[in-house]
Amino acid sequence: MDLEEIKQQFIDALSKVGSEKDLAELEVEFLGRKGKLTTVLKGLSDLTIVEKKRIGGAANELKEFIAEEFRIKNLEFRMKKWELIGEQEKQDINSIIPDSRFQIPPSTLGHIHPISNFLFKINRVFEEMEYEVVDGYEIETDYYNFTALGTHLDHPARDEQDTFYIKDLEHPDKKDLLLRTQTSAMQVRYMKKHPLPIKIIIPGKTYRRDNDATHSPMFHQFEGLVVGEGITLGDLKSTLMIAMKKLLGENTKIRFRSSYFPFVEPGLEVDVTCAICKGSGCNVCKNTGWLELLGAGMVHPDVLKAGGIDSEKYSGFAFGTGVERMVMVKHAIPSLKLLYENDIRFLEQF
Ligand code: PHE
């Protein structure tokens, strides 16, 4: 029997499994000592080396596939059991509580947290624009988080009051490891390891020693980085225009103001139309109709050099912003803390 046939048979049989007993029987039928797949694997010894490699590889892949499906199905059965036990317990308890106000309410299904949801949306929007989504490290070195990005040794961001440093037990005097304060820390790391052109988005957690109504010690950022031949400020502007419309609404406009970040030149602050008053002016945007949302700019030649890229030949742009702030702007949420308190009455609104 060929492998495709076995796979199809297995998929059909699995869809008909109704109990744990059925599942155990199916496991014997396919993976048991005389099982269908086991027979194929045993038959390999009669084949030539070339065939052994070809069929053996595919057969092992199928074996892994089948084993994984068994694991998943088993888990489903176990979860069902717990659910049933939970329901029964609840009913037992409720039956001895006469006052319905104190009874355990029926279970309700939760949903994805607004921050995670927005992170997924960011990934989707940029994937549509052919960006690759890249994971970064939350524990970084001082070099990638600061030095490689042109942040001087005496810059206030490096201060212990702003950054969480991690004690390196082997070198207790060295302040080298830290919780990244910005996703920009991935820029040089990525450039060093990957060929051009680079077109990536880096979403993730970032950390700063801040804790008040508008700051949390852990928050999320996302970073965009594009490097290649002939990349211009115009590319940055059109990219952000398209992305912000998709993320915040079709009528969103953006504007650039010059600003300073040590790793971009020129550096820009990017404002978007206030999502609350739609640009007509309100107290959230201090009657300007605009909200300051992103940092951006053309990648500084020194940063390209640190990433091993010829800054005469190539150019790039970068942008970054806080995810919480975008979620707050989008849904007119007045306080950052609401996003972390996990109060059901708040979360149910999304
Ligand atoms: N990393 C900067 C911040 O956290 C934002 C930024 C990213 C600025 C990329 C310019 C380019 O404030």
Side-chain angles (χ1 to χ4, degrees):
M1 198 185 307
D2 87 2
L3 291 172
E4 260 319 298
E5 232 173 285
I6 296 182
K7 186 171 179 180
Q8 205 45 55
Q9 270 190 11
F10 167 74
I11 292 172
D12 290 344
L14 189 71
S15 70
K16 293 191 190 103
V17 161
S19 67
E20 277 180 286
K21 188 166 157 278
D22 289 354
L23 192 67
E25 277 169 15
L26 197 66
E27 191 156 8
V28 175
E29 188 182 332
F30 282 87
L31 300 182
R33 261 195 305 135
K34 289 189 182 144
K36 290 189 172 134
L37 194 62
T38 320
T39 314
V40 175
L41 286 168
K42 273 190 191 150
L44 286 177
S45 50
D46 304 333
L47 301 174
T48 65
I49 291 182
V50 181
E51 271 184 322
K52 227 186 251 176
K53 262 204 177 140
R54 193 173 59 83
I55 301 181
N60 274 319
E61 229 171 73
L62 182 59
K63 190 173 169 186
E64 263 167 42
F65 169 79
I66 292 179
E68 181 64 17
E69 290 297 309
F70 276 127
R71 259 197 299 278
I72 295 170
K73 201 78 193 168
N74 250 316
L75 205 65
E76 273 174 26
F77 279 123
R78 273 173 36 207
M79 279 165 64
K80 249 268 120 36
K81 243 197 242 164
W82 276 108
E83 259 169 47
L84 292 177
I85 293 172
E87 270 316 304
Q88 189 56 49
E89 266 181 2
K90 210 187 297 179
Q91 278 177 22
D92 290 349
I93 294 171
N94 282 348
S95 70
I96 55 168
I97 304 177
D99 188 334
S100 62
R101 284 177 306 163
F102 303 124
Q103 289 182 349
I104 307 171
S107 328
T108 45
L109 209 56
H111 62 74
I112 290 176
H113 190 278
I115 294 179
S116 306
N117 202 13
F118 202 73
L119 280 164
F120 290 141
K121 181 153 182 179
I122 291 166
N123 292 354
R124 262 201 317 277
V125 163
F126 282 95
E127 269 169 349
E128 271 172 23
M129 298 201 275
E130 295 178 344
Y131 278 68
E132 198 178 323
V133 179
V134 169
D135 248 352
Y137 301 108
E138 284 170 38
I139 295 178
E140 258 303 353
T141 59
D142 174 274
Y143 177 75
Y144 287 112
N145 195 80
F146 292 128
T147 311
L149 298 175
T151 311
H152 294 297
L153 273 173
D154 53 2
H155 193 284
R158 302 179 91 125
D159 210 90
E160 285 203 37
Q161 281 171 6
D162 288 305
T163 301
F164 290 106
Y165 286 92
I166 295 170
K167 202 175 257 169
D168 179 345
L169 292 177
E170 277 174 30
H171 311 278
D173 307 326
K174 255 174 108 184
K175 276 200 333 191
D176 190 37
L177 289 179
L178 45 82
L179 293 180
R180 70 172 169 194
T181 62
Q182 49 185 353
T183 42
S184 307
M186 269 304 282
Q187 289 189 10
V188 171
R189 235 182 221 294
Y190 194 87
M191 286 181 211
K192 270 187 172 172
K193 285 225 176 102
H194 296 84
L196 295 177
I198 289 171
K199 196 175 174 189
I200 56 169
I201 189 96
I202 312 145
K205 291 189 174 74
T206 43
Y207 302 82
R208 289 182 199 176
R209 284 183 97 124
D210 267 336
N211 199 10
D212 58 36
T214 50
H215 296 92
S216 147
M218 186 282 295
F219 58 106
H220 298 78
Q221 284 194 333
F222 75 92
E223 184 93 4
L225 177 69
V226 175
V227 185
E229 221 166 324
I231 305 289
T232 67
L233 199 63
D235 297 323
L236 169 62
K237 189 162 188 180
S238 56
T239 302
L240 287 179
M241 230 153 64
I242 296 169
M244 291 306 125
K245 275 181 194 294
K246 287 195 179 168
L247 289 171
L248 298 173
E250 257 322 293
N251 295 323
T252 309
K253 293 194 186 71
I254 63 169
R255 76 174 182 188
F256 281 177
R257 281 179 296 112
S258 65
S259 181
Y260 174 76
F261 298 95
F263 41 94
V264 281
E265 182 59 37
L268 303 159
E269 201 94 55
V270 187
D271 299 341
V272 300
T273 325
C274 174
I276 292 150
C277 63
K278 312 277 178 248
S280 60
C282 66
N283 56 359
V284 173
C285 59
K286 300 192 185 84
N287 277 320
T288 60
W290 295 97
L291 292 171
E292 187 184 308
L293 209 58
L294 298 110
M298 299 306 288
V299 182
H300 196 291
D302 289 346
V303 175
L304 291 174
K305 274 179 221 153
I309 293 169
D310 180 352
S311 61
E312 296 286 322
K313 198 162 166 210
Y314 301 100
S315 57
F317 65 72
F319 56 86
T321 184
V323 176
E324 280 78 356
R325 183 152 164 76
M326 284 195 94
V327 174
M328 288 169 72
V329 165
K330 180 162 179 153
H331 299 292
I333 297 170
S335 155
L336 174 75
K337 296 288 176 224
L338 284 168
L339 286 167
Y340 291 117
E341 282 166 349
N342 287 337
D343 184 329
I344 298 280
R345 290 166 302 177
F346 169 75
L347 292 174
E348 271 175 349
Q349 299 173 69
F350 296 90

Coordinates of all heavy atoms in Angstrom, one line a residue, residues 149 181-185 187 208 219 221-224 261 263-264 267-268 294-297 317-321, ligand 1:
L149 N 23.4 51.6 18.2 CA 22.4 52.5 17.7 C 22.8 54.0 18.0 O 22.0 54.9 18.0 CB 21.0 52.2 18.3 CG 20.4 50.9 17.9 CD1 19.1 50.6 18.7 CD2 20.2 50.7 16.4
T181 N 14.9 48.0 25.8 CA 14.0 49.1 26.0 C 13.3 49.5 24.7 O 12.4 50.3 24.7 CB 14.8 50.4 26.5 OG1 15.8 50.7 25.4 CG2 15.6 50.1 27.7
Q182 N 13.8 48.9 23.6 CA 13.1 49.2 22.3 C 13.4 48.1 21.3 O 14.4 47.4 21.4 CB 13.7 50.5 21.7 CG 15.3 50.5 21.7 CD 15.9 51.9 21.3 OE1 15.2 52.7 20.8 NE2 17.2 52.0 21.4
T183 N 12.4 47.9 20.4 CA 12.6 46.8 19.4 C 13.7 47.2 18.4 O 14.2 46.3 17.7 CB 11.3 46.5 18.7 OG1 10.6 47.8 18.4 CG2 10.3 45.6 19.5
S184 N 14.1 48.5 18.4 CA 15.2 48.9 17.5 C 16.4 48.1 17.8 O 17.3 48.0 16.9 CB 15.5 50.4 17.7 OG 14.4 51.2 17.6
A185 N 16.5 47.5 19.0 CA 17.7 46.6 19.3 C 17.9 45.5 18.3 O 19.0 45.0 18.1 CB 17.5 46.1 20.7
Q187 N 17.7 45.8 15.0 CA 18.1 46.3 13.7 C 19.5 45.8 13.3 O 19.6 45.1 12.3 CB 18.2 47.9 13.7 CG 16.8 48.5 13.8 CD 16.9 50.0 13.5 OE1 17.9 50.6 13.2 NE2 15.8 50.7 13.7
R208 N 10.8 49.3 30.3 CA 11.4 50.5 30.9 C 11.0 50.7 32.3 O 9.9 50.3 32.7 CB 11.0 51.7 30.0 CG 11.7 51.7 28.7 CD 11.4 52.9 27.9 NE 11.6 52.7 26.5 CZ 11.4 53.5 25.5 NH1 10.9 54.7 25.7 NH2 11.6 53.1 24.2
F219 N 5.8 46.9 28.0 CA 4.8 47.3 27.0 C 5.2 46.7 25.7 O 6.2 46.0 25.7 CB 4.7 48.8 27.0 CG 6.1 49.5 26.7 CD1 6.3 50.1 25.4 CD2 7.1 49.6 27.6 CE1 7.5 50.7 25.1 CE2 8.3 50.2 27.4 CZ 8.5 50.8 26.1
Q221 N 6.1 47.1 21.5 CA 6.4 48.0 20.4 C 6.4 47.2 19.1 O 6.4 46.0 19.1 CB 7.9 48.5 20.5 CG 8.0 49.6 21.6 CD 9.4 50.3 21.4 OE1 10.3 49.8 20.9 NE2 9.4 51.6 21.8
F222 N 6.3 47.9 18.0 CA 6.7 47.2 16.7 C 7.6 48.1 15.9 O 7.5 49.3 15.9 CB 5.5 46.6 16.0 CG 4.7 47.7 15.2 CD1 5.0 48.0 13.9 CD2 3.6 48.3 15.9 CE1 4.2 48.9 13.2 CE2 2.9 49.2 15.2 CZ 3.1 49.5 13.9
E223 N 8.5 47.5 15.2 CA 9.6 48.2 14.5 C 9.5 47.8 13.1 O 9.3 46.6 12.8 CB 10.9 47.7 15.1 CG 12.1 48.3 14.6 CD 12.5 49.5 15.5 OE1 11.9 49.7 16.5 OE2 13.5 50.2 15.1
G224 N 9.7 48.7 12.2 CA 9.8 48.3 10.8 C 11.2 48.7 10.3 O 11.8 49.7 10.7
F261 N 16.5 61.0 16.8 CA 16.9 59.7 17.4 C 18.3 59.4 16.9 O 18.6 59.6 15.8 CB 15.9 58.6 16.9 CG 14.5 58.8 17.2 CD1 13.6 59.4 16.3 CD2 13.9 58.4 18.5 CE1 12.3 59.6 16.6 CE2 12.6 58.6 18.8 CZ 11.8 59.2 17.8
F263 N 19.8 56.9 16.0 CA 20.1 55.9 14.9 C 19.5 56.2 13.6 O 19.4 55.3 12.7 CB 19.7 54.5 15.5 CG 18.4 54.5 16.2 CD1 17.2 54.2 15.6 CD2 18.4 54.8 17.6 CE1 16.0 54.2 16.3 CE2 17.2 54.8 18.3 CZ 16.0 54.5 17.7
V264 N 18.9 57.4 13.4 CA 18.3 57.7 12.1 C 18.8 59.1 11.7 O 19.0 60.0 12.6 CB 16.8 57.7 12.1 CG1 16.3 56.2 12.0 CG2 16.2 58.4 13.3
G267 N 15.8 62.3 11.4 CA 14.9 61.7 12.3 C 13.6 62.3 12.2 O 13.5 63.6 12.0
L268 N 12.5 61.6 12.4 CA 11.2 62.1 12.3 C 10.2 61.7 13.4 O 10.4 60.6 13.9 CB 10.6 61.7 10.9 CG 11.3 62.0 9.7 CD1 10.9 61.1 8.6 CD2 11.1 63.4 9.3
L294 N 4.5 57.8 16.1 CA 5.7 57.0 15.8 C 7.0 57.8 15.7 O 7.0 59.0 15.5 CB 5.5 56.4 14.4 CG 4.4 55.5 14.0 CD1 3.4 56.2 13.1 CD2 4.9 54.2 13.4
G295 N 8.1 57.1 16.0 CA 9.4 57.6 15.7 C 9.8 56.9 14.4 O 9.5 55.8 14.1
A296 N 10.6 57.7 13.5 CA 11.0 57.1 12.3 C 12.2 57.8 11.7 O 12.6 58.8 12.3 CB 9.8 57.2 11.3
G297 N 12.7 57.4 10.6 CA 13.7 58.1 9.9 C 14.5 57.2 8.9 O 14.2 56.0 8.8
F317 N 15.1 52.7 5.7 CA 14.3 53.5 6.7 C 13.9 52.6 7.8 O 13.9 51.3 7.7 CB 13.1 54.2 6.0 CG 12.0 53.3 5.5 CD1 11.2 52.6 6.3 CD2 11.9 53.2 4.1 CE1 10.1 51.8 5.8 CE2 10.8 52.4 3.5 CZ 10.0 51.7 4.4
A318 N 13.5 53.2 8.9 CA 13.1 52.5 10.1 C 12.0 53.3 10.8 O 11.9 54.5 10.6 CB 14.2 52.3 11.1
F319 N 11.1 52.6 11.4 CA 10.0 53.3 12.2 C 9.7 52.4 13.4 O 9.9 51.2 13.3 CB 8.8 53.6 11.3 CG 8.2 52.4 10.7 CD1 7.2 51.6 11.3 CD2 8.5 52.0 9.4 CE1 6.7 50.5 10.7 CE2 8.0 50.9 8.8 CZ 7.0 50.1 9.4
G320 N 9.1 53.0 14.4 CA 8.8 52.2 15.6 C 7.7 52.9 16.4 O 7.6 54.2 16.4
T321 N 6.9 52.1 17.1 CA 5.9 52.8 17.9 C 5.4 51.8 19.0 O 5.7 50.6 18.9 CB 4.7 53.2 17.0 OG1 3.7 53.9 17.8 CG2 4.0 52.0 16.4
Ligands
PHE1 N1 12.9 53.0 19.1 C1 12.3 54.4 19.1 C2 11.6 54.5 20.5 O1 11.4 53.6 21.2 C3 11.4 54.6 18.0 C4 12.1 54.6 16.6 C5 12.2 53.5 15.9 C6 12.6 55.8 16.1 C7 12.8 53.5 14.6 C8 13.1 55.9 14.9 C9 13.2 54.7 14.1 O2 11.3 55.6 20.9

